Amino acid sequence: MNKPLVGAFLAALLLGAGVAPAVAAEPAPRTQVREDVPQAGPGPKAVTFAGTVALSNCSGSVVRSPDSAPTDPALVLSNGHCMESGFPGPGEVVVDQPSSRTFTLLNASGRGVGTLRASKIAYGTMTDTDLSLYELTSTYRQIADRYGIRALELETAHPVAGTAITVASGCWRRTYSCDIDGFVHRLKEGRWTWKDSVRYTPECRTIGGTSGSPVIDDATGKVVAVNNTGNESGRECTVNNPCEVDEHGEVTVREGINYAQQTYNMVPCIGTGNKIDLDRAGCALPKP
C-alpha cells in the first residue's frame, strides 16, 4: 500500500503499533485539477473523471452492476484499507457498518460538483482482496438528475493481460495509462495476502492517495479493478513493498511496479436493491 504523501510521521507511529500505514493522501488543491483530459474521437471513448470521487484520504468511484436499477441506492467503490474504521485485520470482514462518510463527486474534467454521503459500509475487507463498498443516501437517478453524472459499470468477466487501462484518481485529479501486464497468484504485503491481483506495466506509477481509484478498461469504459498498492523500495513482502508468490511458493520482488485488485468477482454478490448478499450464487467474497 502506497503510504500517505503527507503522513510519513503517522505511518511510523502506526508501524510502531503493529498497524500498516494507509495509502491515502490529503486531496490535491484545486490547482492540480487536470484540464487536459483527452477528448473523445474515433475508436474507444476517452476515459474521464466523471463518476470518480475524492475521499478524505483516498480515491474512489460511483459504481453499478449491470443489474442495478436507477432507483437503487448508489455504491462507492474504494479499498478496504481506506475505510475510516481503520485497516481490517487478516480474516476480518466488515458488513453493514453504519457510516456518514462524505465523498466529493467529480465531473469529466475533474471538478468537484457535489457532495455524496454514505449511509453505511456495505462491505469491506483486506482478506483475499482490498475492497470497500459504501452504500449512499442517494440513488443513481438522483445523482444523474442533480449532477448529470452516471455511475461507472462493473465488468462481469475476468480481465485479460495486454488490456489498455486507465487508473483515474479522484483524490489527485490525475490519470495513469498503461496495460495489464499480468496476474499474480498471491500478492503478499505485511500481514495481508491478496489473490489473483492485477499487475500493471511500468507506465502506471501510482502514488499515495490513488488507492481506491477505479481501473478502467479503455475500450469498454468499464471498471475491471481497484488500484491498491505498489512496491516502493524493492523490499520483500513488507508494508509498501508487496511481493509476488507463485503457485510453487517462489517469491518475486518488482521494485516500482504497482497493482490492483480485480472487481468482476464482486458482481455476483450484489443482489436486488444493490444489497450485498454473500450467499448469492457465484459470490466468492470472504464472509465474516
Side-chain angles (χ1 to χ4, degrees):
M1 293 155 284
N2 304 320
K3 63 186 177 182
L5 297 181
V6 295
F9 179 67
L10 175 60
L13 292 178
L14 290 172
L15 282 172
V19 181
V23 252
E26 292 300 317
R30 185 64 58 87
T31 56
Q32 292 197 25
V33 175
R34 282 185 48 162
E35 299 296 341
D36 60 338
V37 178
Q39 299 302 306
K45 184 178 180 181
V47 173
T48 72
F49 294 101
T52 64
V53 300
L55 285 67
S56 59
N57 61 343
C58 287
S59 300
S61 57
V62 181
V63 296
R64 61 181 295 274
S65 80
D67 295 328
S68 294
T71 54
D72 288 341
L75 298 174
V76 162
L77 168 67
S78 191
N79 286 147
H81 74 257
C82 292
M83 293 190 297
E84 72 272 29
S85 53
F87 284 32
E92 183 180 354
V93 176
V94 174
V95 176
D96 292 337
Q97 177 174 292
S99 173
S100 58
R101 193 168 196 179
T102 58
F103 312 88
T104 301
L105 179 66
L106 306 185
N107 65 10
S109 65
R111 182 172 64 86
V113 294
T115 299
L116 305 177
R117 184 176 297 277
S119 61
K120 64 181 179 180
I121 302 173
Y123 184 86
T125 192
M126 289 178 65
T127 298
D128 295 349
T129 186
D130 186 4
L131 162 71
S132 63
L133 278 173
Y134 286 83
E135 182 177 300
L136 302 184
T137 58
S138 305
T139 67
Y140 295 116
R141 177 172 292 163
Q142 288 170 333
I143 294 171
D145 288 349
R146 183 167 185 179
Y147 305 111
I149 293 174
R150 299 188 179 277
L152 300 175
E153 185 173 334
L154 295 168
E155 176 58 70
T156 60
H158 192 292
V160 177
T163 298
I165 55 172
T166 297
V167 182
S169 170
C171 177
W172 291 121
R173 280 75 158 174
R174 180 176 177 183
T175 60
Y176 303 79
S177 296
C178 61
D179 294 343
I180 294 177
D181 186 51
F183 304 95
V184 183
H185 176 66
R186 297 290 184 270
L187 190 67
K188 293 181 62 67
E189 181 172 347
R191 298 187 295 146
W192 294 273
T193 300
W194 303 306
K195 298 179 178 179
D196 199 19
S197 302
V198 174
R199 179 177 61 241
Y200 305 143
T201 53
E203 295 80 11
C204 279
R205 300 189 65 84
T206 51
I207 61 175
T210 63
S211 287
S213 300
V215 180
I216 300 170
D217 183 323
D218 290 352
T220 66
K222 295 181 181 181
V223 176
V224 297
V226 57
N227 180 68
N228 82 307
T229 194
N231 187 292
E232 295 184 355
S233 58
R235 297 178 65 187
E236 183 177 304
C237 311
T238 64
V239 171
N240 298 321
N241 291 281
C243 64
E244 301 182 13
V245 184
D246 69 14
E247 294 86 342
H248 308 291
E250 191 74 24
V251 175
T252 301
V253 173
R254 302 179 190 268
E255 184 176 357
I257 295 300
N258 295 284
Y259 302 89
Q261 302 305 309
Q262 298 186 52
T263 51
Y264 79 97
N265 52 2
M266 294 165 33
V267 177
C269 308
I270 302 174
T272 303
N274 261 4
K275 301 303 179 184
I276 304 303
D277 182 356
L278 301 178
D279 293 320
R280 288 190 87 220
C283 179
L285 290 178
K287 298 180 181 180

